[in-house]
Amino acid sequence: MALALLGRLRVLAPLEQRDFRLLWTGMVASLLGDGVFFVAMAWQVYLLSNAPTALAAVGFAITLPQVLLLIAGGVVADRMDRRKVMVAADVVRGMAIGAIGVLAISGALELGSMIALVVVYGGATAFFGPAYEALVPEIVASERLTEANALDQFARPAASRLAGPALGGVIIALAGAGPAFLVDAVTFACSALCVGRITRPPAGVEAERLSLNEVWAGFRFVRAHVWLWGTFLGATASYLLFIGPSEVLLPYVVKNDMHGGAQALGLVLAAGGVGALFAAALAGQRGMPRKHMTWMYVTWSLATLAIAGFGLAVASWQLAVASLLFNGFEAAGTVWWATTKARLVPPELRGRVSSLDWFISIGLVPLSYAFTAPLAAAIGARGTLVAVGSAGALITLAPLFLRGMRDVERDGMALDHPAVPVPTG
């Protein structure tokens, strides 16, 4: 029965491979914990200090070490056993979140100690992400990458935006934020166990030291391809505008304007998970569109525009609709983006290119958190969300019109059956 289902549903085909099943299972467990963590973090911070400034400070503390360490994380992912890198990152993150949970339960958690621990969490994440993205193409056949990336984008909203937030809201309502943090810590242990069982030899090459030339090799490849550097820079500007305001002010609006609790926030985020689930499943089932760059940018622009809906909403159900649209459009574009990178970036450079993607894209996110509170104080939380969503939509779409951006879709290089050889740099 299960094999028959795999045969009928194209999007499930990568799960026939043992190593990908293990990786995917571990990822789902970890993402479930991430969804719990986001609700617990927002609620715990607003209990410690009911002001956007506090949550903005925590967001800044998470993202800054990621930005600073991502380049090193990419090089390590290309030069070492990617499985070991991921397991180590999971262990460190689990210990940091577990410590927050213990402090919260004991009543000893303060904003300063929470910031210090999420700095550790963010630093470890900088090593996990590039290793994960570089490992997927090594354990999945090329013709199944679109489906594998769709499963990734299916699992992310299902776990981190649907089940995770809903579970987090229930745990917090019943037992408080402390136990919710401990649940997240356990999920990192599950992820580490699954990744540790992957048997396929890693793509990275063991090295005694990291060469600066290896770092620049990734830069040179990105600089030579407009579809890479244009997308990276576009994401930098777009994320600068909306990441901080959306993540800081949405919980604030739910708590202070809608007078909802942690469960209400969890349900709004869960609605986003529903949208992303549907979009990722549809993208995986249909495969890569011929004009994948165009579709990718259009969906991302619509996703950013949906953030304005957070500011316009006057009821919780309207927040849920905006969340559904935001996450759905974002997920569809991300499936096509991940597949394009996996097919067109040489295997030996995937870790570094992935780290550069994250490094450049989120490079200004700490500033996004920094300006959120002053802007909200000046024009209000709702006005901020409307402004950043509207302006961000235009900025998100702009790189699509760079010269050469759509060459890869005209040549069909990233499709299931490329029309021309894949470039190697």
Side-chain angles (χ1 to χ4, degrees), residues 140-187:
V140 177
S142 176
E143 64 272 14
R144 294 299 186 192
L145 280 174
T146 302
E147 292 87 346
N149 288 322
L151 275 171
D152 179 282
Q153 290 303 308
F154 185 89
R156 288 182 187 278
S160 66
R161 299 174 189 172
L162 178 56
L167 177 62
V170 171
I171 294 173
I172 294 168
L174 294 177
F181 288 120
L182 294 182
V183 168
D184 186 21
V186 171
T187 65

Side-chain angles (χ1 to χ4, degrees), residues 265-277:
L265 176 60
L267 290 175
V268 169
L269 296 174
V274 172
L277 279 173

Side-chain angles (χ1 to χ4, degrees), residues 333-350:
T334 302
V335 169
W336 301 322
W337 173 240
T339 304
T340 301
K341 284 194 302 179
R343 288 211 170 107
L344 300 186
V345 176
E348 67 274 11
L349 289 175
R350 284 177 184 145

Side-chain angles (χ1 to χ4, degrees), residues 174-318:
L174 294 177
F181 288 120
L182 294 182
V183 168
D184 186 21
V186 171
T187 65
F188 282 116
C190 294
S191 175
L193 289 173
C194 288
V195 173
R197 293 184 60 200
I198 294 175
T199 56
R200 186 178 178 88
V205 179
E206 298 287 351
E208 296 180 359
R209 63 187 181 87
L210 303 176
S211 168
L212 186 60
N213 287 333
E214 293 170 339
V215 177
W216 284 113
F219 276 106
R220 287 193 297 269
F221 184 84
V222 170
R223 186 179 60 188
H225 297 82
V226 64
W227 65 272
L228 282 170
W229 64 259
T231 301
F232 293 177
L233 293 179
T236 302
S238 181
Y239 287 176
L240 170 65
L241 278 180
F242 79 79
I243 288 291
S246 63
E247 296 197 357
V248 171
L249 298 179
L250 176 58
Y252 182 83
V253 168
V254 170
K255 183 176 187 293
N256 294 279
D257 289 4
M258 305 296 182
H259 306 293
Q263 284 179 291
L265 176 60
L267 290 175
V268 169
L269 296 174
V274 172
L277 279 173
F278 176 78
L282 182 62
Q285 189 68 17
R286 293 181 63 88
M288 286 282 280
R290 177 73 186 184
K291 295 186 176 181
H292 53 97
M293 297 300 293
T294 300
W295 279 100
M296 184 181 77
Y297 272 97
V298 169
T299 55
W300 280 347
S301 183
L302 291 172
T304 308
L305 182 61
I307 292 172
F310 293 148
L312 297 173
V314 295
S316 293
W317 71 267
Q318 294 170 346

Side-chain angles (χ1 to χ4, degrees), residues 76-152:
V76 168
D78 282 339
R79 299 297 294 173
M80 298 183 69
D81 185 331
R82 289 163 181 162
R83 297 165 301 173
K84 293 180 180 178
V85 174
M86 293 166 65
V87 169
D90 274 338
V91 170
V92 171
R93 292 188 296 175
M95 292 177 65
I97 300 303
I100 293 176
V102 171
L103 290 173
I105 291 173
S106 66
L109 183 64
E110 297 179 350
L111 189 59
S113 57
M114 188 170 186
I115 288 175
L117 288 166
V118 298
V119 165
V120 177
Y121 171 87
T125 300
F127 289 87
F128 183 92
Y132 174 85
E133 290 197 13
L135 183 60
V136 170
E138 296 299 325
I139 62 176
V140 177
S142 176
E143 64 272 14
R144 294 299 186 192
L145 280 174
T146 302
E147 292 87 346
N149 288 322
L151 275 171
D152 179 282

